[in-house]
Amino acid sequence: MDKYLKNSVLQKLESPELSVRNIELFVKRDDLIHPFVSGNKWRKLKYYIEKAKSQNKNGILTFGGAFSNHLLAVAACTNVLEWKSIGIVRGEELNSDSNSLLKKCNDLGMKLIFLSREEYSLRNDWDFKSEYANKYNEFVLVPEGGAGYEGMIGCQEIVSELETFDHLFLAMGTATTAAGLLLACPENSKIHGVSAIKNFKSAETIQNLYKNSGIEKEFAKELLENFVNHGEAHFGGYAKTTLELLEFISEMKEKFALPLDNIYTGKAFFAMWQELIGNLEYENSRVVYLHTGGVHELG
Ligand SMILES: *Cc1c(COP(=O)(O)O)cnc(C)c1O
């Protein structure tokens, strides 16, 4: 797999608004790792693939919504590895022609199974998982969004690719990436998570990820001391957008040659920009924006 992937580069953004505040801003371009296995999706899959190999399995079975970047990442990875893949999709009314992402998954050889919302909601239950694990025993099961132990430790590695930083901002969906970064966050640095979902309970979600990975409550609490939640930049909710956001995204593209998507990375960059420009706390600091991907052209 590695030979198809690029190392993620660090891009320095220069602008008068930043230099006047003595802020150094870098973008960790995980979006450039692969055209379809975008950004954090590769980080989260890496150790699930290792797990599959160690169990002599040659397939991945996973879950996602109709526009899931995670499904696409799994389809692209398994295609390269010449493995099989199954995507369990939320919504029985859908089919593999419903949108360009599902089409692409299908073209890459992923077998798509469409479930009603009710059935899909059981996906993390033990009975449901063991039924699928038995039925598809040559497949490793990966939770929706790679939201599990393997996903977290893959994201933890990002920190070791960075020099020191005071603040790191990123977008959150399942918060697995944020949880992984926190595991390796330097003592005096902060991880800032910007939720793409309205009313997202980020600290609780991260705590659950830790709990399910066997991390003690006290340790989890300590880790969360380095976490800052930004819950107000969802622009109406998941996949909702506004003219203000779209204009901001095109402005950033022009200003910094930085592509952002309007579901995750545009919202998180917006929230960060407001903070850096509007809050004195960030003066004289070194800031990293983790670009989690999501800007692929499906054509
Ligand atoms: C999936 C995704 C996220 C969310 O990552 P989590 O680890 O689920 O929080 C963020 N940005 C992009 C572009 C994504 O595709």
Side-chain angles (χ1 to χ4, degrees):
M1 189 69 212
D2 286 358
K3 66 180 182 218
Y4 298 95
L5 304 170
K6 291 206 185 80
N7 284 327
S8 138
V9 297
L10 204 59
Q11 176 184 1
K12 184 164 191 198
L13 305 190
E14 310 260 12
S15 93
E17 294 107 313
L18 297 170
S19 50
V20 74
R21 293 168 175 82
N22 196 27
I23 296 171
E24 276 197 299
L25 175 59
F26 297 88
V27 180
K28 175 76 171 155
R29 295 290 305 271
D30 267 18
D31 57 313
L32 299 177
I33 290 176
H34 184 276
F36 300 125
V37 190
S38 87
N40 64 347
K41 298 301 180 286
W42 164 247
R43 304 284 187 175
K44 292 196 276 185
L45 280 175
K46 183 176 169 188
Y47 288 103
Y48 283 109
I49 291 172
E50 293 303 315
K51 182 179 173 182
K53 283 181 186 162
S54 73
Q55 297 177 356
N56 291 319
K57 299 191 176 188
N58 59 358
I60 295 178
L61 182 147
T62 194
F63 307 86
F67 298 97
S68 164
N69 290 333
H70 167 71
L71 280 184
L72 178 62
V74 170
C77 274
T78 47
N79 181 276
V80 165
L81 292 165
E82 298 182 12
W83 286 10
K84 289 180 238 167
S85 69
I86 297 176
I88 312 275
V89 186
R90 181 178 60 231
E92 61 195 338
E93 75 284 3
L94 300 165
N95 61 58
S96 56
D97 278 329
S98 292
N99 65 46
S100 56
L101 186 137
L102 292 175
K103 249 186 230 135
K104 186 78 193 177
C105 290
N106 186 60
D107 290 348
L108 288 164
M110 179 176 259
K111 177 181 167 177
L112 296 169
I113 298 174
F114 298 90
L115 295 188
S116 69
R117 277 158 183 78
E118 198 183 352
E119 281 175 286
Y120 188 86
S121 71
L122 304 173
R123 68 192 175 283
N124 292 325
D125 288 3
W126 196 84
D127 284 348
F128 184 99
K129 284 196 289 194
S130 58
E131 183 192 325
Y132 277 84
N134 286 333
K135 191 164 169 190
Y136 300 105
N137 58 19
E138 74 273 42
F139 292 74
V140 67
L141 261 59
V142 175
E144 182 183 55
Y149 173 74
E150 284 79 0
M152 257 179 5
I153 57 162
C155 294
Q156 172 184 282
E157 290 184 350
I158 298 168
V159 178
S160 63
E161 294 174 23
L162 297 167
E163 282 176 46
T164 151
F165 58 87
D166 301 301
H167 303 278
L168 184 151
F169 285 80
L170 81 156
M172 293 185 298
T174 64
T176 309
T177 309
L181 293 170
L182 280 168
L183 287 171
C185 179
E187 201 172 342
N188 295 313
S189 309
K190 295 277 183 239
I191 304 292
H192 298 256
V194 182
S195 174
I197 301 160
K198 201 170 169 173
N199 300 328
F200 183 62
K201 295 193 172 61
S202 49
E204 214 178 294
T205 307
I206 293 171
Q207 241 152 5
N208 271 332
L209 280 161
Y210 288 155
K211 190 175 152 202
N212 295 337
S213 302
I215 292 174
E216 295 85 352
K217 209 168 173 182
E218 283 308 306
F219 181 29
K221 245 168 97 182
E222 240 171 70
L223 292 169
L224 275 160
E225 283 172 14
N226 293 333
F227 178 67
V228 183
N229 182 48
H230 299 268
E232 299 305 320
H234 52 72
F235 288 84
Y238 184 74
K240 298 253 167 44
T241 185
T242 67
L243 193 58
E244 185 190 20
L245 177 66
L246 297 176
E247 279 173 2
F248 177 78
I249 288 172
S250 60
E251 206 185 304
M252 293 304 115
K253 177 144 196 177
E254 222 160 88
K255 197 176 165 85
F256 298 124
L258 183 68
L260 297 165
D261 77 300
N262 55 24
I263 297 176
Y264 289 109
T265 57
K267 294 179 180 181
F269 199 89
F270 181 94
M272 177 188 72
W273 194 252
Q274 301 294 101
E275 288 284 304
L276 298 187
I277 302 306
N279 189 336
L280 296 176
E281 184 197 326
Y282 298 93
E283 283 186 0
N284 311 309
S285 64
R286 190 181 153 94
V287 181
V288 174
Y289 178 79
L290 174 64
H291 196 315
T292 43
V295 278
H296 34 244
E297 291 288 327
L298 292 169

